[in-house]
């Protein structure tokens, strides 16, 4: 598993933990597409050589670390053994990287070291054990969600928030004992760190991969799942001033009730957003509970439920519907 490094101290800690295992450092940048190619190559190398420790450093965010190795461009890969440079490859050259790492690892088959034992002070150990369980989903980061203090923390907050995963956080910059102790407690030398039900999930890269393959959501506790769904639905019903949840789309309704309410709204010459509930069972079932309305279609104005087809039809007939149409929804 590749470890993200942000500071010289984290680099030193990771190199020390590597012992006599070879360490491959990849200097990269988020905007650099060729770096993704190198990441894929490294992933395959680790599968072949489990003794290979891999570190990834965002060269622009960790400038002081990049300066140590005189990094002038990305991607750049450096292989170390016992903190001594063995070779370096500047630029994109997957065949050369594969060949050199393979030759080196076959020649230097150092044993994989076991993680260091937890040697924390019992009082601190107990405090950390309580902290990682202080919320169903707990993030240890630099800064706070509204004001992250590093790029990796900012990215993991964005991932959790955009996927509507409710979490609490702890700013490790405010407590050095927690910052250093958690590295030993979890055998994970970098931050951010995400915990679910007190168990370490990992850092940014792990969380990003688990969001991409959707495996993270199955680990989210029921309490946090409910909050996540409510946040998602609340955002959806306010996606447009007038929002219709229907079967199908306005151009291709999939049931008679949806077809009829679309016709009514179009006859009123109003603009409205829509969501096809047939494409998302979570939304389809969740919105019934959130609104207390068991059927579809459902019409919302400014995030408030108006009702289904019969309610809208009655309001149009008695003239009250025109009074609640938001100005943004009126066709000019």
């Amino acid at each position: 598993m590749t470890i993200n490094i942000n500071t010289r101290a984290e680099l030193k800690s990771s190199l020390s933990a590597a012992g006599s295992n070879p360490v491959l450092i990849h200097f990269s940048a988020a905007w650099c597409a060729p770096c993704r190619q190198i990441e894929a190559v490294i992933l395959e190398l680790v599968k072949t050589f489990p003794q290979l420790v891999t570190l990834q450093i965002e060269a622009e965010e960790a400038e002081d670390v990049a300066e140590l190795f005189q990094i002038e461009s990305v991607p750049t890969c450096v292989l170390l053994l016992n903190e001594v440079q063995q070779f370096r490859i500047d630029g994109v050259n997957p065949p050369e990287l594969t060949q050199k790492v393979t030759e080196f690892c076959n020649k230097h088959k150092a044993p994989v070291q076991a993680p260091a034992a937890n040697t924390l002070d019992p009082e601190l150990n107990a405090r950390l054990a309580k902290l990682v369980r202080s919320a169903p989903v707990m993030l240890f980061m630099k800064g706070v969600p509204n004001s992250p203090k590093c790029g990796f923390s900012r990215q993991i907050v964005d991932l959790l928030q955009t996927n509507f995963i409710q979490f609490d956080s702890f700013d490790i910059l405010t407590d050095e004992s927690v910052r250093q102790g958690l590295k030993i407690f979890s055998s994970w030398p970098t931050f951010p760190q995400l915990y679910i039900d007190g168990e370490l999930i990992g850092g940014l890269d792990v969380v990003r991969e688990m969001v991409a393959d959707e495996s993270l959501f199955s680990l989210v506790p029921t309490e946090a799942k409910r909050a996540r769904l409510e946040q998602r639905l609340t955002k959806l019903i306010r996606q447009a001033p007038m929002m219709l949840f229907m079967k199908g789309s306005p151009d291709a309704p999939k049931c008679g009730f949806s077809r009829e309410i679309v016709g009514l709204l179009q006859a009123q010459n109003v603009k409205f957003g829509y969501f096809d509930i047939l494409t998302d069972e979570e939304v389809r079932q969740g919105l019934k509970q959130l609104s207390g309305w068991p059927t579809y279609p459902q019409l919302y104005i400014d995030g408030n439920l108006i009702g289904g087809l019969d309610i809208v039809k009655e309001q149009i007939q008695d003239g009250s519907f025109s009074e609640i149409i938001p100005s943004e929804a009126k066709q000019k």
Side-chain angles (χ1 to χ4, degrees):
M1 182 180 298
T2 298
I3 300 171
N4 288 309
I5 299 297
N6 301 312
T7 66
R8 292 190 182 190
E10 291 175 352
L11 175 63
K12 182 177 180 180
S13 175
S14 293
L15 293 179
S16 176
S20 57
N21 290 309
V23 178
L24 180 63
I25 305 176
H26 175 208
F27 288 91
S28 66
W31 50 263
C32 179
C35 290
R36 308 292 82 78
Q37 185 179 359
I38 296 300
E39 288 172 11
V41 172
I42 292 174
L43 184 62
E44 292 304 314
L45 286 170
V46 171
K47 292 178 182 178
T48 305
F49 305 105
Q51 76 270 31
L52 183 65
V53 177
T54 57
L55 310 179
Q56 182 157 318
I57 299 173
E58 290 285 325
E60 293 178 346
E61 292 194 20
E63 294 181 0
D64 59 334
V65 182
E67 287 176 1
L68 286 175
F69 294 86
Q70 298 180 331
I71 302 301
E72 296 181 354
S73 63
V74 293
T76 292
C77 291
V78 180
L79 190 130
L80 307 178
L81 183 67
N82 296 321
E83 303 189 28
V84 177
Q85 181 173 316
Q86 304 299 310
F87 66 79
R88 169 183 178 136
I89 299 175
D90 295 280
V92 187
N93 196 331
E96 182 183 7
L97 177 62
T98 301
Q99 179 184 353
K100 285 195 170 184
V101 170
T102 299
E103 290 176 353
F104 188 88
C105 287
N106 283 333
K107 185 177 179 181
H108 300 272
K109 294 185 177 180
V112 179
Q113 288 187 336
N118 187 333
T119 56
L120 289 173
D121 172 79
E123 186 175 340
L124 177 57
N125 193 76
R127 183 186 175 205
L128 294 175
K130 185 177 181 179
L131 267 178
V132 299
R133 292 184 174 277
S134 58
V137 181
M138 191 69 190
L139 177 65
F140 292 83
M141 61 179 290
K142 294 179 180 178
V144 295
N146 292 335
S147 183
K149 300 297 184 182
C150 80
F152 298 114
S153 292
R154 182 178 299 108
Q155 290 179 60
I156 199 168
V157 165
D158 287 344
L159 272 174
L160 296 174
Q161 290 181 339
T162 56
N163 285 281
F164 306 99
I165 297 176
Q166 188 180 50
F167 65 97
D168 285 356
S169 66
F170 185 94
D171 181 2
I172 60 166
L173 299 180
T174 64
D175 193 316
E176 191 65 16
S177 64
V178 170
R179 180 177 184 176
Q180 299 305 326
L182 207 54
K183 295 178 182 180
I184 300 172
F185 179 85
S186 62
S187 298
W188 194 272
T190 60
F191 292 95
Q193 295 181 13
L194 184 70
Y195 293 76
I196 293 180
D197 282 339
E199 297 294 328
L200 175 68
I201 301 303
L204 173 62
D205 287 346
V206 174
V207 172
R208 183 188 285 133
E209 290 173 8
M210 294 181 72
V211 167
D213 65 18
E214 299 188 350
S215 60
L216 183 67
F217 306 122
S218 64
L219 300 178
V220 176
T222 301
E223 178 184 342
K225 280 183 181 177
R226 189 179 300 113
R228 169 183 171 269
L229 179 57
E230 288 182 4
Q231 289 178 342
R232 184 183 178 205
L233 294 175
T234 299
K235 185 176 181 180
L236 271 177
I237 63 179
R238 293 183 175 276
Q239 193 167 277
M242 184 178 292
M243 192 71 188
L244 178 65
F245 291 81
M246 60 180 291
K247 296 179 179 178
S249 67
D251 293 333
K254 295 294 178 66
C255 79
F257 298 115
S258 292
R259 182 178 296 107
E260 188 172 354
I261 198 169
V262 166
L264 288 172
L265 295 176
Q266 291 175 338
Q268 294 298 304
N269 199 31
V270 295
K271 295 185 293 184
F272 61 93
Y274 79 94
F275 186 92
D276 179 3
I277 59 163
L278 299 180
T279 65
D280 195 316
E281 190 64 18
E282 182 181 60
V283 171
R284 182 177 184 175
Q285 299 303 326
L287 200 57
K288 292 179 183 180
Q289 296 180 5
L290 182 71
S291 65
W293 195 272
T295 60
Y296 290 98
Q298 293 182 16
L299 183 69
Y300 291 78
I301 291 180
D302 290 333
N304 297 309
L305 175 67
I306 301 304
L309 173 61
D310 289 343
I311 298 295
V312 172
K313 188 183 295 184
E314 290 175 7
Q315 290 187 344
I316 289 175
Q317 290 174 348
D318 66 20
S320 61
F321 187 75
S322 60
E323 299 175 2
I324 60 174
I325 298 174
S327 57
E328 302 92 332
K330 294 178 180 178
Q331 299 274 19
K332 296 181 180 179

